[in-house]
């Protein structure tokens, strides 16, 4: 019976199936009869499950603290004013501000840890899975580049239940020239583990998104760690040189590489 049904409704490939070699997007699914093939339906359900898992995933604090220790920058554990994941998802505003304990931690730091060029912040965002996977490989590439060009960084801030704008408050309290927010991006149905990097010059509470530069899709199947690290280092240098970030700061990193 199964063989008979398979013969009556074979999977018909789309003419553009060859394009699947260039993207992980869900294209050229084919059809069987008037329906999407069962394998594609099941793959969609699996991708959706991975995306949901990523949204509710947690930072592996123990692992990340161990991985960050060799960088000798010091690590601070901070938390937004969102008490838990449910509140974080329902109240985006609370993910943008620190809780009272975290504010106290930053305000009582010794002066030697303040007024650095860049505050590096690691936040779960909407995919802690991404941060657990990509933080160490990216920083292994990035931090030596920053050191080589003379950019100083303060203690790395591990921030739970954080959104992008929480970096403004952290940078303001640390009195840094810039913030570099590494955060788990909203998972899609082709990538549940994508990291984003947001750069903001003169971080202050109340900054809006046009004041930031974003580098997205940092992952093994997307923007490679070495390229992402190079872009971030370039943009940080240019932001400090020009005293700005956001729409006024252009990413000419690839153009510069071609000239070299």
């Amino acid at each position: 019976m199964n063989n008979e049904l398979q013969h009556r409704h074979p999977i018909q490939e789309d003419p553009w199936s060859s394009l699947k070699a260039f993207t992980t997007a869900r294209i050229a699914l084919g059809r069987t009869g008037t329906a999407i093939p069962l394998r594609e339906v099941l793959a969609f359900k699996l991708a959706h499950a991975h995306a949901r898992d990523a949204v509710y995933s947690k930072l592996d604090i123990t692992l990340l603290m161990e991985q960050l220790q060799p960088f000798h920058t010091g690590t601070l554990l901070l938390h937004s004013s969102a008490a838990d994941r449910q509140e974080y998802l329902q109240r985006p505003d609370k993910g943008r501000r620190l809780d009272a304990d975290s504010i106290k931690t930053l305000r009582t730091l010794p002066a030697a840890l303040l007024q650095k060029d860049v505050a590096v912040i690691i936040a779960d965002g909407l995919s802690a899975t991404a941060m657990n996977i990509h933080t160490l490989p990216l920083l292994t590439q990035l931090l030596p580049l920053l050191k080589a060009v003379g950019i100083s960084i303060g203690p790395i801030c591990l921030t739970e239940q954080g959104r992008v704008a929480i970096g403004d408050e952290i940078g303001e309290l640390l009195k840094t020239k810039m913030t570099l927010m590494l955060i788990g991006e909203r998972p899609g149905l082709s990538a549940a583990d994508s990291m984003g990097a947001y750069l903001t010059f003169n971080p202050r509470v109340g900054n809006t998104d046009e004041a930031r530069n974003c580098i997205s899709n940092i992952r093994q199947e997307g923007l490679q760690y070495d390229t992402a690290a190079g872009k971030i280092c370039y943009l940080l240098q240019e932001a400090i040189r020009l005293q700005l970030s956001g729409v006024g700061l252009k990413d000419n990193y690839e153009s510069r590489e071609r000239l070299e």
Side-chain angles (χ1 to χ4, degrees):
M1 181 65 176
N2 289 339
N3 290 337
E4 181 183 348
L5 289 174
Q6 187 175 4
H7 179 72
R8 287 169 54 192
H9 299 289
I11 296 176
Q12 298 180 20
E13 300 290 344
D14 291 314
W16 53 88
S17 295
S18 59
L19 297 180
K20 297 178 74 170
F22 302 101
T23 179
T24 57
R26 196 164 272 101
I27 64 170
L29 303 182
R31 61 188 178 89
T32 176
T34 59
I36 296 173
L38 177 60
R39 68 187 182 195
E40 299 296 345
V41 174
L42 295 176
F44 179 89
K45 289 180 178 292
L46 180 61
H48 185 262
H50 284 318
R52 286 182 57 86
D53 287 346
V55 168
Y56 287 96
S57 60
K58 296 180 180 181
L59 287 175
D60 190 335
I61 297 298
T62 301
L63 173 66
L64 290 170
M65 293 287 277
E66 290 177 357
Q67 291 178 339
L68 294 173
Q69 188 174 3
F71 296 122
H72 303 295
T73 58
T75 306
L76 302 176
L77 184 57
L78 307 176
H79 203 288
S80 77
S81 58
D84 53 34
R85 199 61 174 173
Q86 199 63 32
E87 186 172 41
Y88 171 84
L89 295 173
Q90 294 176 344
R91 292 286 305 273
D93 57 312
K94 291 198 170 187
R96 300 184 184 114
R97 298 299 299 269
L98 293 166
D99 65 10
D101 288 341
S102 298
I103 293 173
K104 182 179 179 181
T105 295
L106 294 176
R107 283 180 173 167
T108 56
L109 287 176
L113 297 179
L114 305 177
Q115 295 183 314
K116 304 296 184 181
D117 291 327
V118 179
V120 177
I121 303 152
I122 298 165
D124 40 14
L126 289 170
S127 177
T129 299
M131 308 314 296
N132 295 334
I133 295 172
H134 305 308
T135 295
L136 178 62
L138 179 65
L139 291 184
T140 299
Q141 297 275 349
L142 176 62
L143 295 187
L145 293 180
L146 300 185
K147 183 178 180 180
V149 298
I151 293 178
S152 60
I153 65 171
I156 296 176
C157 300
L158 273 178
T159 309
E160 294 182 283
Q161 312 297 357
R163 293 184 182 269
V164 172
I166 202 170
D168 295 328
E169 187 171 20
I170 294 172
E172 185 173 0
L173 291 169
L174 288 174
K175 302 178 183 179
T176 58
K177 294 178 183 177
M178 294 201 65
T179 56
L180 169 62
M181 167 68 75
L182 303 177
I183 192 167
E185 295 183 310
R186 184 185 304 276
L189 293 175
S190 59
D193 64 340
S194 181
M195 173 194 282
Y198 292 81
L199 298 83
T200 307
F201 183 80
N202 191 28
R204 294 291 182 272
V205 173
N207 280 350
T208 47
D209 286 342
E210 86 284 349
R212 315 185 200 285
N213 292 84
C214 175
I215 299 169
S216 63
N217 197 32
I218 302 171
R219 59 191 184 100
Q220 292 172 332
E221 298 81 8
L223 188 64
Q224 297 295 300
Y225 303 128
D226 57 345
T227 304
K231 281 179 174 285
I232 292 169
C233 184
Y234 168 80
L235 287 172
L236 288 174
Q237 289 182 88
E238 287 295 286
I240 293 172
R241 181 178 69 87
L242 298 172
Q243 302 286 286
L244 58 82
S245 61
V247 295
L249 179 62
K250 304 306 178 185
D251 181 4
N252 294 319
Y253 175 71
E254 292 181 357
S255 299
R256 186 194 66 169
E257 279 203 323
R258 284 195 291 268
L259 289 173
E260 293 175 351

